[in-house]
């Protein structure tokens, strides 16, 4: 809650943990190792999930496509630029968090009513539930790796909820 989301926040948390665990007596080499690993991760290429580009191509021009993501501004901007997907979106929003109020603010900015908004995402907790609570539509695309913070144990029971196996399946709904 103090550092936000993203790799740099994780690095700060790891350094803070070293300080706490070692009562401030930790080897500076550990901090250097965290920085080294973080820099390596920040330079990794962006890997698109199968079907994403095809779905965006199919919907471009038919719908107003918006990319909504959360995390560190610079890191998210880098990922978006390196993804090669910016051309598909009419608006890109990098949020500090993805809660109901954040989506409400985004919808107000877009002048879009919740009933005309569909969120497609892999996190039930931050992509799906907040949008459904606003009265929008949300389609969940499961991913084999989901951050523990984003885990959601409950059952999603909303009329506007769509469960997908693959992102390409959304074409059956639109």
């Amino acid at each position: 809650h103090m550092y936000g989301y993203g790799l740099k926040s994780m690095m700060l948390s790891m350094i803070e943990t070293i300080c706490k665990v070692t009562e401030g007596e930790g080897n500076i080499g550990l901090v250097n190792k965290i920085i080294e690993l973080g820099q390596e991760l920040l330079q990794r290429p962006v890997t698109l999930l199968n079907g994403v580009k095809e779905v965006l191509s199919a919907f471009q021009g038919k719908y107003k496509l918006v990319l909504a993501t959360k995390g560190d501004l610079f890191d998210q901007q880098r990922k978006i630029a390196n993804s090669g997907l910016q051309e598909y979106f009419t608006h890109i929003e990098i949020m500090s968090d993805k809660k109901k109020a954040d989506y409400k603010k985004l919808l107000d900015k877009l002048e879009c009513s919740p009933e005309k908004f569909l969120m497609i995402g892999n996190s039930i907790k931050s992509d799906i539930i907040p949008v459904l609570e606003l009265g929008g539509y949300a389609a969940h695309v499961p991913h084999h790796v989901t951050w523990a913070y984003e885990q959601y144990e409950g059952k999603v029971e909303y009329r506007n909820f769509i469960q997908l196996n693959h992102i390409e399946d959304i074409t059956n709904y639109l």
Side-chain angles (χ1 to χ4, degrees):
H1 73 281
M2 288 183 69
Y3 301 131
Y5 302 97
L7 181 58
K8 289 185 248 177
S9 300
M10 183 188 76
M11 292 167 60
L12 281 171
S13 294
M14 292 171 72
I15 291 168
E16 183 179 39
T17 301
I18 287 171
C19 292
K20 284 184 179 180
V21 168
T22 65
E23 296 177 352
E25 300 295 324
N27 182 327
I28 194 70
L30 295 172
V31 174
N32 286 333
K33 185 66 176 171
I34 289 169
I35 293 169
E36 182 182 298
L37 290 169
Q39 288 176 342
E40 179 186 322
L41 290 171
L42 284 167
Q43 294 177 35
R44 285 198 178 166
V46 172
T47 304
L48 297 179
L49 298 175
N50 291 334
V52 168
K53 201 167 201 170
E54 293 78 9
V55 168
L56 291 173
S57 293
F59 292 152
Q60 188 178 30
K62 294 179 184 175
Y63 300 96
K64 185 176 183 179
L65 301 177
V66 174
L67 173 61
T69 186
K70 73 177 177 184
D72 176 73
L73 177 65
F74 295 120
D75 191 30
Q76 293 299 73
Q77 286 175 330
R78 177 193 62 80
K79 288 181 195 176
I80 293 164
N82 292 342
S83 74
L85 299 178
Q86 316 86 294
E87 67 186 74
Y88 294 101
F89 299 102
T90 58
H91 181 79
I92 295 174
E93 187 81 14
I94 301 172
M95 307 177 191
S96 57
D97 207 346
K98 287 166 80 177
K99 295 188 175 172
K100 186 177 175 180
D102 302 297
Y103 283 106
K104 172 79 170 91
K105 187 174 168 183
L106 173 62
L107 291 174
D108 289 346
K109 184 186 290 186
L110 296 171
E111 297 179 347
C112 178
S113 66
E115 302 80 27
K116 294 186 178 204
F117 184 78
L118 166 67
M119 175 66 173
I120 302 171
N122 70 313
S123 170
I124 296 283
K125 187 175 177 182
S126 68
D127 294 327
I128 306 303
I129 297 295
V131 170
L132 292 171
E133 288 176 345
L134 284 172
Y137 289 81
H140 178 242
V141 182
H143 190 263
H144 66 282
V145 177
T146 302
W147 181 30
Y149 179 78
E150 294 293 345
Q151 297 293 327
Y152 184 81
E153 299 301 322
K155 186 173 182 185
V156 182
E157 296 187 37
Y158 286 81
R159 180 181 60 80
N160 296 348
F161 175 65
I162 303 166
Q163 180 61 57
L164 305 173
N165 291 316
H166 306 281
I167 194 165
E168 300 98 323
D169 297 341
I170 195 63
T171 58
N172 299 326
Y173 295 90
L174 297 177

